[in-house]
Amino acid sequence: MTRRTRPAMGVLLFFAGMVMLAFYFTFAAVQGDYGVFKRAEIDAEARVLRDELALLQADVARLENLTRRLSDTYLDLDLLDQQARDMLGMIRADEIVIR
């Protein structure tokens, strides 16, 4: 009868392999292409893009309003006067230009 004082080499290799595999999957879950950090980065980018979209939509709505106000069916005389004076570089006699 022989008595072993240390565990078998196969058991140690098995547990070492399992620990390394656990570290690998943990690292991949946190830092990988589909990991937690990548998800946070994508969420932050999505927030920035949503804010940019809201600004662009407001700008488009403003331009659509100006376009509608200059159309043939709806003529805003004040806006027409302002646009004409801006394009021609002219002012009225009672206006003062400040630069």
Side-chain angles (χ1 to χ4, degrees):
M1 180 177 228
T2 60
R3 192 172 215 181
R4 291 187 185 180
T5 57
R6 58 187 177 135
M9 187 58 98
V11 174
L12 286 176
L13 286 175
F14 175 75
F15 282 116
M18 288 296 119
V19 168
M20 288 179 66
L21 197 61
F23 280 135
Y24 171 76
F25 283 121
T26 302
F27 178 80
V30 174
Q31 299 261 347
D33 290 339
Y34 303 102
V36 176
F37 289 150
K38 189 68 165 184
R39 177 63 184 210
E41 182 182 324
I42 290 172
D43 288 343
E45 186 179 349
R47 265 192 305 276
V48 168
L49 290 175
R50 259 188 246 113
D51 293 342
E52 186 178 340
L53 176 65
L55 288 174
L56 289 173
Q57 285 175 337
D59 195 32
V60 166
R62 183 183 64 80
L63 290 173
E64 283 176 349
N65 182 31
L66 288 175
T67 304
R68 184 181 61 81
R69 289 170 55 189
L70 287 174
S71 69
D72 291 335
T73 58
Y74 182 93
L75 185 60
D76 187 357
L77 295 178
D78 291 333
L79 181 62
L80 179 63
D81 181 51
Q82 175 190 349
Q83 293 293 329
R85 287 190 289 132
D86 285 345
M87 294 295 283
L88 297 174
M90 304 190 78
I91 60 171
R92 289 192 304 242
D94 61 342
E95 290 181 333
I96 298 173
V97 177
I98 300 174
R99 290 185 188 231

